[in-house]
Amino acid sequence: DMETGGAGDQKGGNGGDAKRILIRNESGASIEMGSSDGRIAMPNGVQAIKAYAAGGDGGSENGEGGAGGTIDIANDGVIDMWLNAEGQRADPERSIAGIYAESLGGSGQSSSDNSDAGGKGEPGRPIVISNSGRISIDAIGIEEEFDPDETSAAIFALSRGGDGGASPSKNTGGAGGGAAQSSGNYSPPYSSVVSVDTSGTISTRGDGIMGVVIRTRGGDGGDGNGSDDSRGGAAGAGGESQVSVTGGAISTDGNNAYAIVTQSIGGIG
């Protein structure tokens, strides 16, 4: 019972999985962005280290997404950022961050074939970040906080499951992917958690620039299409998060510049 112009039982291909990312800023190494008397102009945001591991979306006709990649970042050295945000864009493409890590599951696609549910979203993977060195951000000229979806922080980590695809008339939407789900493919294995461990120094100056922020969010379930025999898909679960401050200090200076923020949010069914 097809609802497309194609012939036969069609299914889009699955999105590809992202792979693991490893980044090390070793002791004695430094990342210097600007200086106290030569600040970098960054009206569109800037990040010293950015890791992005996103699975691909599924193909047309209920293809499933690909899984995000595991991210492992260690800063044992120095990250210093001297920034000038004057002329800040209202819709910046980036936030301000010392370390910024995202693991995103790919989304499933909608189904037009009543024999097939919507494609499922795949999980975001664990993220592990450690800091035994120094991360310092000093930003002037911030007129308004950056968009909450582009959170500014010395350390920011997000693991998000992909959304499920919408259902046909007589089936269900695809399930949303979970957040921070371990694949078990690496040795030693990564726990199903987004974790930040800091024993070094973190300092920020500027409105909305926080110390450590972790977000885990499950993907949304695929929509039903409004018919009596169509049902929405189950949402993905948010993941576990953990912040350990085992030494050093976290200091922030600015409005809404919280030292530590963690969120675990389930997807919408």
Side-chain angles (χ1 to χ4, degrees), residues 24-49:
R24 297 289 184 265
N25 189 38
E26 302 286 357
S27 177
S30 64
I31 299 173
E32 306 283 345
M33 304 184 73
S35 63
S36 59
D37 57 358
R39 294 174 181 269
I40 292 178
M42 37 65 64
N44 194 31
V46 65
Q47 294 149 3
I49 294 175

mmCIF file of all heavy atoms in Angstrom, residues 24-49:
data_model
loop_
_atom_site.group_PDB
_atom_site.id
_atom_site.type_symbol
_atom_site.label_atom_id
_atom_site.label_comp_id
_atom_site.label_asym_id
_atom_site.label_seq_id
_atom_site.Cartn_x
_atom_site.Cartn_y
_atom_site.Cartn_z
ATOM 1 N N ARG A 24 44.166 16.497 21.984
ATOM 2 C CA ARG A 24 45.015 16.693 23.154
ATOM 3 C C ARG A 24 45.768 18.018 23.022
ATOM 4 O O ARG A 24 46.469 18.241 22.033
ATOM 5 C CB ARG A 24 46.025 15.551 23.276
ATOM 6 C CG ARG A 24 45.396 14.180 23.489
ATOM 7 C CD ARG A 24 44.794 14.075 24.880
ATOM 8 N NE ARG A 24 44.269 12.762 25.166
ATOM 9 C CZ ARG A 24 42.998 12.422 25.010
ATOM 10 N NH1 ARG A 24 42.135 13.322 24.539
ATOM 11 N NH2 ARG A 24 42.584 11.214 25.319
ATOM 12 N N ASN A 25 45.610 18.905 24.002
ATOM 13 C CA ASN A 25 46.461 20.084 24.136
ATOM 14 C C ASN A 25 47.377 19.800 25.319
ATOM 15 O O ASN A 25 46.985 19.919 26.481
ATOM 16 C CB ASN A 25 45.615 21.340 24.380
ATOM 17 C CG ASN A 25 46.430 22.612 24.310
ATOM 18 O OD1 ASN A 25 47.338 22.738 23.484
ATOM 19 N ND2 ASN A 25 46.122 23.573 25.165
ATOM 20 N N GLU A 26 48.607 19.385 25.013
ATOM 21 C CA GLU A 26 49.494 18.820 26.028
ATOM 22 C C GLU A 26 50.068 19.880 26.960
ATOM 23 O O GLU A 26 50.090 21.073 26.657
ATOM 24 C CB GLU A 26 50.647 18.070 25.341
ATOM 25 C CG GLU A 26 50.215 16.946 24.404
ATOM 26 C CD GLU A 26 49.725 15.714 25.149
ATOM 27 O OE1 GLU A 26 49.765 15.712 26.399
ATOM 28 O OE2 GLU A 26 49.320 14.744 24.474
ATOM 29 N N SER A 27 50.561 19.419 28.097
ATOM 30 C CA SER A 27 51.232 20.293 29.046
ATOM 31 C C SER A 27 52.407 20.980 28.355
ATOM 32 O O SER A 27 53.186 20.354 27.639
ATOM 33 C CB SER A 27 51.736 19.479 30.241
ATOM 34 O OG SER A 27 52.458 20.294 31.138
ATOM 35 N N GLY A 28 52.519 22.292 28.554
ATOM 36 C CA GLY A 28 53.553 23.067 27.896
ATOM 37 C C GLY A 28 53.118 23.674 26.582
ATOM 38 O O GLY A 28 53.781 24.578 26.058
ATOM 39 N N ALA A 29 51.996 23.197 26.031
ATOM 40 C CA ALA A 29 51.450 23.758 24.792
ATOM 41 C C ALA A 29 50.440 24.852 25.125
ATOM 42 O O ALA A 29 49.851 24.871 26.214
ATOM 43 C CB ALA A 29 50.791 22.669 23.963
ATOM 44 N N SER A 30 50.221 25.755 24.195
ATOM 45 C CA SER A 30 49.264 26.835 24.448
ATOM 46 C C SER A 30 48.537 27.210 23.171
ATOM 47 O O SER A 30 49.089 27.128 22.062
ATOM 48 C CB SER A 30 49.959 28.068 25.032
ATOM 49 O OG SER A 30 50.882 28.610 24.107
ATOM 50 N N ILE A 31 47.287 27.611 23.343
ATOM 51 C CA ILE A 31 46.476 28.191 22.277
ATOM 52 C C ILE A 31 46.180 29.617 22.701
ATOM 53 O O ILE A 31 45.464 29.853 23.685
ATOM 54 C CB ILE A 31 45.165 27.410 22.067
ATOM 55 C CG1 ILE A 31 45.477 25.962 21.653
ATOM 56 C CG2 ILE A 31 44.294 28.088 21.020
ATOM 57 C CD1 ILE A 31 44.249 25.079 21.592
ATOM 58 N N GLU A 32 46.768 30.568 21.999
ATOM 59 C CA GLU A 32 46.632 31.975 22.347
ATOM 60 C C GLU A 32 45.815 32.665 21.257
ATOM 61 O O GLU A 32 46.215 32.685 20.094
ATOM 62 C CB GLU A 32 48.008 32.643 22.459
ATOM 63 C CG GLU A 32 48.969 31.936 23.415
ATOM 64 C CD GLU A 32 48.660 32.231 24.867
ATOM 65 O OE1 GLU A 32 47.910 33.192 25.140
ATOM 66 O OE2 GLU A 32 49.185 31.513 25.749
ATOM 67 N N MET A 33 44.691 33.245 21.644
ATOM 68 C CA MET A 33 43.841 33.974 20.703
ATOM 69 C C MET A 33 43.750 35.417 21.168
ATOM 70 O O MET A 33 42.997 35.738 22.092
ATOM 71 C CB MET A 33 42.459 33.322 20.615
ATOM 72 C CG MET A 33 42.528 31.841 20.226
ATOM 73 S SD MET A 33 40.908 31.069 19.993
ATOM 74 C CE MET A 33 40.424 31.816 18.434
ATOM 75 N N GLY A 34 44.547 36.287 20.555
ATOM 76 C CA GLY A 34 44.597 37.679 20.958
ATOM 77 C C GLY A 34 45.461 37.878 22.184
ATOM 78 O O GLY A 34 46.134 36.967 22.669
ATOM 79 N N SER A 35 45.434 39.126 22.701
ATOM 80 C CA SER A 35 46.187 39.486 23.899
ATOM 81 C C SER A 35 45.467 40.643 24.573
ATOM 82 O O SER A 35 44.519 41.221 24.024
ATOM 83 C CB SER A 35 47.613 39.886 23.537
ATOM 84 O OG SER A 35 47.613 41.041 22.705
ATOM 85 N N SER A 36 45.920 41.013 25.755
ATOM 86 C CA SER A 36 45.253 42.081 26.495
ATOM 87 C C SER A 36 45.292 43.411 25.751
ATOM 88 O O SER A 36 44.407 44.251 25.914
ATOM 89 C CB SER A 36 45.879 42.235 27.887
ATOM 90 O OG SER A 36 47.267 42.530 27.775
ATOM 91 N N ASP A 37 46.306 43.621 24.929
ATOM 92 C CA ASP A 37 46.388 44.865 24.164
ATOM 93 C C ASP A 37 46.180 44.649 22.667
ATOM 94 O O ASP A 37 46.454 45.537 21.851
ATOM 95 C CB ASP A 37 47.737 45.554 24.401
ATOM 96 C CG ASP A 37 48.917 44.656 24.063
ATOM 97 O OD1 ASP A 37 48.688 43.490 23.676
ATOM 98 O OD2 ASP A 37 50.056 45.124 24.178
ATOM 99 N N GLY A 38 45.669 43.463 22.308
ATOM 100 C CA GLY A 38 45.379 43.167 20.904
ATOM 101 C C GLY A 38 44.273 42.134 20.799
ATOM 102 O O GLY A 38 44.496 40.992 20.379
ATOM 103 N N ARG A 39 43.075 42.538 21.203
ATOM 104 C CA ARG A 39 41.950 41.605 21.239
ATOM 105 C C ARG A 39 41.480 41.229 19.829
ATOM 106 O O ARG A 39 41.538 42.037 18.899
ATOM 107 C CB ARG A 39 40.775 42.215 22.016
ATOM 108 C CG ARG A 39 41.077 42.417 23.507
ATOM 109 C CD ARG A 39 39.938 43.147 24.205
ATOM 110 N NE ARG A 39 40.252 43.363 25.619
ATOM 111 C CZ ARG A 39 39.924 42.514 26.588
ATOM 112 N NH1 ARG A 39 39.228 41.430 26.300
ATOM 113 N NH2 ARG A 39 40.254 42.764 27.839
ATOM 114 N N ILE A 40 40.985 40.001 19.708
ATOM 115 C CA ILE A 40 40.448 39.519 18.438
ATOM 116 C C ILE A 40 39.007 39.999 18.289
ATOM 117 O O ILE A 40 38.178 39.817 19.192
ATOM 118 C CB ILE A 40 40.489 37.987 18.373
ATOM 119 C CG1 ILE A 40 41.929 37.493 18.300
ATOM 120 C CG2 ILE A 40 39.701 37.474 17.171
ATOM 121 C CD1 ILE A 40 42.045 35.999 18.275
ATOM 122 N N ALA A 41 38.679 40.599 17.139
ATOM 123 C CA ALA A 41 37.294 40.971 16.836
ATOM 124 C C ALA A 41 36.518 39.709 16.477
ATOM 125 O O ALA A 41 36.933 38.935 15.607
ATOM 126 C CB ALA A 41 37.257 41.968 15.688
ATOM 127 N N MET A 42 35.406 39.490 17.171
ATOM 128 C CA MET A 42 34.636 38.256 16.929
ATOM 129 C C MET A 42 33.139 38.525 17.043
ATOM 130 O O MET A 42 32.463 37.956 17.900
ATOM 131 C CB MET A 42 35.076 37.145 17.894
ATOM 132 C CG MET A 42 35.439 37.558 19.312
ATOM 133 S SD MET A 42 34.051 38.213 20.260
ATOM 134 C CE MET A 42 33.008 36.776 20.350
ATOM 135 N N PRO A 43 32.570 39.372 16.184
ATOM 136 C CA PRO A 43 31.130 39.649 16.261
ATOM 137 C C PRO A 43 30.262 38.439 15.958
ATOM 138 O O PRO A 43 29.073 38.428 16.258
ATOM 139 C CB PRO A 43 30.930 40.742 15.206
ATOM 140 C CG PRO A 43 32.057 40.559 14.252
ATOM 141 C CD PRO A 43 33.210 40.111 15.081
ATOM 142 N N ASN A 44 30.853 37.394 15.378
ATOM 143 C CA ASN A 44 30.090 36.201 15.031
ATOM 144 C C ASN A 44 30.478 35.005 15.899
ATOM 145 O O ASN A 44 30.192 33.866 15.569
ATOM 146 C CB ASN A 44 30.301 35.860 13.550
ATOM 147 C CG ASN A 44 29.287 34.862 13.045
ATOM 148 O OD1 ASN A 44 28.155 34.834 13.515
ATOM 149 N ND2 ASN A 44 29.682 34.034 12.108
ATOM 150 N N GLY A 45 31.147 35.250 17.027
ATOM 151 C CA GLY A 45 31.522 34.164 17.922
ATOM 152 C C GLY A 45 32.844 33.521 17.527
ATOM 153 O O GLY A 45 33.320 33.654 16.396
ATOM 154 N N VAL A 46 33.454 32.804 18.474
ATOM 155 C CA VAL A 46 34.720 32.138 18.212
ATOM 156 C C VAL A 46 34.930 31.026 19.234
ATOM 157 O O VAL A 46 34.506 31.140 20.381
ATOM 158 C CB VAL A 46 35.896 33.149 18.265
ATOM 159 C CG1 VAL A 46 36.055 33.725 19.667
ATOM 160 C CG2 VAL A 46 37.198 32.534 17.796
ATOM 161 N N GLN A 47 35.563 29.940 18.806
ATOM 162 C CA GLN A 47 35.840 28.806 19.693
ATOM 163 C C GLN A 47 37.276 28.353 19.483
ATOM 164 O O GLN A 47 37.727 28.201 18.342
ATOM 165 C CB GLN A 47 34.850 27.671 19.392
ATOM 166 C CG GLN A 47 33.410 28.038 19.745
ATOM 167 C CD GLN A 47 32.370 27.382 18.863
ATOM 168 O OE1 GLN A 47 32.681 26.588 18.001
ATOM 169 N NE2 GLN A 47 31.109 27.736 19.086
ATOM 170 N N ALA A 48 38.013 28.161 20.580
ATOM 171 C CA ALA A 48 39.414 27.777 20.470
ATOM 172 C C ALA A 48 39.562 26.342 19.986
ATOM 173 O O ALA A 48 40.360 26.047 19.100
ATOM 174 C CB ALA A 48 40.108 27.964 21.815
ATOM 175 N N ILE A 49 38.830 25.416 20.583
ATOM 176 C CA ILE A 49 38.812 24.016 20.149
ATOM 177 C C ILE A 49 37.361 23.634 19.896
ATOM 178 O O ILE A 49 36.509 23.804 20.767
ATOM 179 C CB ILE A 49 39.408 23.075 21.217
ATOM 180 C CG1 ILE A 49 40.905 23.351 21.408
ATOM 181 C CG2 ILE A 49 39.185 21.617 20.836
ATOM 182 C CD1 ILE A 49 41.526 22.540 22.530
#
